[in-house]
């Protein structure tokens, strides 16, 4: 992962330098009480509705279906409205979680039922390409490569080919209620100390939560102490490090939290439940991603964002991801879909997305905009981003999620020995990878 981590650090340094420099008139930072006016995306000139750009002409009578998660609906509805006003192409959105889209497209794409434009994290790209589900970003490739950060372009590419239209970078961090936790804990030992004085389960008061039943959020417990998914920068499917000594050590810390911090069943903590507790003021700390910023701001709660607590003195290592738009290879309107994917991923569109949902821009100029770099919430995510690892994007990553989720669930709910549980999960992963080859 070293090369990818260098890219992440480079991006973070660029944002930090931009925040310290001058030369641009600053837009007001996003805050919980003020909504700035959304900028209109640029699309390459003063084209009238229906007119092509860069020689790309939309198909006559084109209509588009977009898949996106419910958290992004405010942005998608606004950008779709602007796109329709400019090109005269109707756009509809269906709510489909980003992590579910490639699986759904595998069936719906060939059947002609899939969305024309989809959006998913980069770890699903290898699977999508192998199944022939997405078209390369050919018409706007040069612009996408030059406008977006190198790590974003890498994440939206597979085997050297750019498929995606990069839109955002992300990892997760710790939201904390400043009125309940003025000084956020820096370690899980401190979290345990706070939980001992704060927890009141009968009255739904909890010190700390994350989506326990989701390996995406469980990864820090395995990676911080030396575990990893695949070796050789996430590309060697024969080298799985999810049951090595470091992973087992971290899983033991994870197991201890089920008694000392969060004494509930893993399936009882969902995104909506913990967000409701946090915005309602009875959850002090909440591990979540930038997609939650918009709803939490709207609640009016006094909150901050800090890095995930450390384990045994080591900074917690989170997963990071690149989200990009992709054009369904089975779309009846591939040109119109290309236009939308480009339109919805420009600098201006990414700034709009940041303002409406908190999504961190992949576009270099948008990421360096004062409205982004001057935001203390963004600073908290960038601090965690320094210690993140990109999710592997090889197709075999699809074999990892369910076995590890099941293993961690037995450790949490049943007190199963971490070594035994993780060994069994890795065995299942290897069997699944072998069966798929």
């Amino acid at each position: 992962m070293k090369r990818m981590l260098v890219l992440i650090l480079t991006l973070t340094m660029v944002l930090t330098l931009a925040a310290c420099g001058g030369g641009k008139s600053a837009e007001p930072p996003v805050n919980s009480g003020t909504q700035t006016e959304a900028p209109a995306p640029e699309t390459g000139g003063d084209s009238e509705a229906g007119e092509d750009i860069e020689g790309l002409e939309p198909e006559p009578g084109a209509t588009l279906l977009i898949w996106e998660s419910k958290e992004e609906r405010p942005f998608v509805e606004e950008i779709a409205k602007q796109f329709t006003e400019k090109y005269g192409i109707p756009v509809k959105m269906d709510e489909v979680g980003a992590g579910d889209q490639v699986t759904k497209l595998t069936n719906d794409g060939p059947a002609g039922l899939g969305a024309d434009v989809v959006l998913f994290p980069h770890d699903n790209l290898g699977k999508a390409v192998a199944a022939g589900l997405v078209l390369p970003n050919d018409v706007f490739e040069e612009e996408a490569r030059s406008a977006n950060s190198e790590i974003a372009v890498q994440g939206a590419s597979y085997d050297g080919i750019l498929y995606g239209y990069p839109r955002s970078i992300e990892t997760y961090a710790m939201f904390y209620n400043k009125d309940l936790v003025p000084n956020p804990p820096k370690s899980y030992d401190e979290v345990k100390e706070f939980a001992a004085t704060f927890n009141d389960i009968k009255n739904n008061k909890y010190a700390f939560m994350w989506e326990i039943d989701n390996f995406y959020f469980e990864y820090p417990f395995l990676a911080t102490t030396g575990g990893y998914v695949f070796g050789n920068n996430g590309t060697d499917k024969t080298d799985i490090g999810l049951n090595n000594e470091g992973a087992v050590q971290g899983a033991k810390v994870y197991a201890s939290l089920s008694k000392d911090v969060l004494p509930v069943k893993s399936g009882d903590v969902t995104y909506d439940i913990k967000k409701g507790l946090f915005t309602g003021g009875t959850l002090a700390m909440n591990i979540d991603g930038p997609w939650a910023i918009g709803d939490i701001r709207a609640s009016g709660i006094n909150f901050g964002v800090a890095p995930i607590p450390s384990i045994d003195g080591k900074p917690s290592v989170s997963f990071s991801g690149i989200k990009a738009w992709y054009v369904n290879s089975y779309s009846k309107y591939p040109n119109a879909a290309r236009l939308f994917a480009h339109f919805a991923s420009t600098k201006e569109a990414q700034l709009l997305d940041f303002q409406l949902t908190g999504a961190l821009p992949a576009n270099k100029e948008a990421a360096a905009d004062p409205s982004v770099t001057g935001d203390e919430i963004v600073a908290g995510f960038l601090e965690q981003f320094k210690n993140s690892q990109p999710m592997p994007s090889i197709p075999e990553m699809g074999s990892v999620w369910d076995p590890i989720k099941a293993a961690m669930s037995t450790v949490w709910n049943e007190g199963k020995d971490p070594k035994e549980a993780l060994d069994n999960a890795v065995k299942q992963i290897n069997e699944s990878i072998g069966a798929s080859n």
Side-chain angles (χ1 to χ4, degrees):
M1 297 284 181
K2 288 184 178 179
R3 183 164 60 89
M4 294 295 282
L5 288 173
V6 169
L7 291 172
I8 292 170
L9 289 170
T10 301
L11 173 62
T12 305
M13 290 174 63
V14 169
L15 296 180
T16 303
L17 289 172
C20 297
K24 290 187 178 180
S25 57
E27 297 180 17
V30 182
N31 57 65
S32 59
T34 304
Q35 176 64 57
T36 57
E37 183 177 352
E42 294 178 358
T43 57
D46 298 323
S47 304
E48 296 298 326
E51 185 179 338
D52 65 296
I53 58 176
E54 298 201 11
L56 185 66
E57 185 174 353
E59 297 83 0
T63 61
L64 296 176
L65 174 63
I66 312 299
W67 283 347
E68 241 294 25
S69 60
K70 63 180 179 180
E71 294 82 16
E72 285 286 337
R73 179 173 285 279
F75 166 67
V76 175
E77 289 182 343
E78 177 59 29
I79 203 69
K81 175 184 175 183
Q82 294 180 12
F83 179 80
T84 300
E85 289 175 351
K86 190 168 188 66
Y87 293 106
I89 300 172
V91 179
K92 177 187 174 183
M93 172 189 159
D94 280 353
E95 287 186 5
V96 180
D100 300 327
Q101 293 195 20
V102 171
T103 299
K104 185 173 173 60
L105 191 62
T106 301
N107 297 318
D108 290 0
L113 302 174
D116 301 279
V117 181
V118 296
L119 185 135
F120 50 81
H122 76 274
D123 64 298
N124 287 306
L125 180 56
K127 180 180 178 182
V129 172
L133 300 177
V134 292
L135 296 175
N137 179 357
D138 44 12
V139 176
F140 300 104
E141 177 180 9
E142 183 177 345
E143 180 179 346
R145 288 185 180 277
S146 62
N148 294 285
S149 66
E150 185 177 353
I151 188 174
V153 172
Q154 273 196 341
S157 302
Y158 188 77
D159 201 19
I161 298 174
L162 178 64
Y163 288 89
Y165 302 70
R167 194 192 71 182
S168 61
I169 60 174
E170 65 187 27
T171 191
Y172 39 94
M174 183 176 71
F175 290 82
Y176 65 98
N177 184 323
K178 290 183 176 181
D179 294 332
L180 301 177
V181 193
N183 300 304
K186 298 184 182 300
S187 70
Y188 276 108
D189 288 337
E190 293 179 14
V191 171
K192 291 179 180 180
E193 291 174 3
F194 177 77
T197 63
F198 184 83
N199 275 0
D200 183 357
I201 309 305
K202 291 182 179 179
N203 292 305
N204 284 326
K205 284 185 63 179
Y206 297 90
F208 189 88
M209 273 190 180
W210 72 98
E211 287 185 59
I212 314 169
D213 223 17
N214 187 336
F215 174 53
Y216 182 65
F217 295 99
E218 294 170 340
Y219 186 64
F221 292 102
L222 304 182
T224 302
T225 47
Y228 55 89
V229 182
F230 297 118
N232 192 23
N233 295 327
T235 63
D236 186 355
K237 65 182 181 181
T238 67
D239 178 11
I240 300 176
L242 292 171
N243 63 335
N244 64 16
E245 183 178 351
V248 172
Q249 177 187 349
K252 291 178 180 178
V253 175
Y254 165 86
S256 72
L257 300 183
S258 68
K259 302 177 181 65
D260 300 333
V261 173
L262 192 51
V264 300
K265 295 296 184 182
S266 61
D268 291 342
V269 181
T270 67
Y271 173 81
D272 288 331
I273 286 175
K274 66 185 184 61
K275 185 181 73 173
L277 291 171
F278 187 74
T279 56
T282 61
L283 171 61
M285 292 169 281
N286 172 31
I287 302 296
D288 220 323
W291 52 83
I293 293 175
D295 286 344
I296 294 175
R297 286 191 193 279
S299 75
I301 196 169
N302 182 23
F303 75 99
V305 172
I308 299 170
S310 64
I311 299 175
D312 294 341
K314 301 178 179 68
S316 279
V317 176
S318 56
F319 266 143
S320 59
I322 309 301
K323 281 187 177 177
W325 298 104
Y326 296 91
V327 174
N328 176 6
S329 60
Y330 295 94
S331 171
K332 295 179 182 178
Y333 309 111
N335 284 355
R338 286 183 175 96
L339 283 175
F340 180 85
H342 170 260
F343 187 91
S345 60
T346 62
K347 167 191 172 183
E348 290 73 22
Q350 291 189 35
L351 283 174
L352 170 62
D353 195 11
F354 171 73
Q355 291 181 10
L356 294 179
T357 73
L360 304 181
N363 180 281
K364 290 182 287 190
E365 290 187 7
D369 190 276
S371 66
V372 178
T373 59
D375 191 299
E376 68 168 306
I377 302 304
V378 172
F381 278 104
L382 291 179
E383 188 65 26
Q384 178 60 47
F385 203 71
K386 294 177 184 178
N387 294 309
S388 66
Q389 294 177 355
M391 291 179 288
S393 61
I394 59 177
E396 289 77 13
M397 185 64 186
S399 297
V400 172
W401 298 99
D402 287 343
I404 289 294
K405 171 185 173 181
M408 298 295 275
S409 177
T410 61
V411 170
W412 184 272
N413 295 321
E414 302 169 20
K416 189 168 184 176
D417 176 67
K419 174 63 174 172
E420 182 182 350
L422 293 174
D423 282 348
N424 184 53
V426 170
K427 178 183 177 183
Q428 292 179 41
I429 294 167
N430 278 319
E431 289 174 349
S432 176
I433 290 174
S436 63
N437 292 336

